[in-house]
Amino acid sequence: MKPVEGLVISDYVEIYDFELEAYTLVHYEGLTTDEAAVRMNLSKATFWRILEQARFKLAKALIERKPIT
């Protein structure tokens, strides 16, 4: 495996379990945000905030070439 130029292992983006679950339900399992909020037993507003946090963190990791943990 070829190393990624500029990658600093100590500088990473941390995604929490609940953020990954929200992202997975919508983007991998294909649930609507309403369905996913029910599945996680959250209000729609709280679910949406968590999903947006996950999206932002993943985008940051990709754009800034940071590892994800």
Side-chain angles (χ1 to χ4, degrees):
M1 176 182 274
K2 184 178 176 183
V4 177
E5 186 177 325
L7 182 68
V8 179
I9 299 300
S10 63
D11 187 18
Y12 58 87
V13 174
E14 184 172 11
I15 297 180
Y16 298 113
D17 291 342
F18 60 91
E19 293 168 332
L20 182 58
E21 182 178 0
Y23 192 88
T24 300
L25 290 173
V26 171
H27 295 292
Y28 185 75
E29 294 186 19
L31 273 60
T32 66
T33 54
D34 291 346
E35 293 167 333
V38 169
R39 172 103 43 109
M40 290 183 70
N41 198 29
L42 298 170
S43 71
K44 293 175 191 177
T46 299
F47 179 83
W48 186 256
R49 182 182 48 80
I50 290 169
L51 181 60
E52 284 300 299
Q53 284 174 222
R55 288 174 174 163
F56 175 80
K57 287 180 177 183
L58 288 168
K60 179 181 178 77
L62 292 170
I63 292 166
E64 297 179 5
R65 306 187 87 148
K66 293 184 178 186
I68 300 168
T69 186

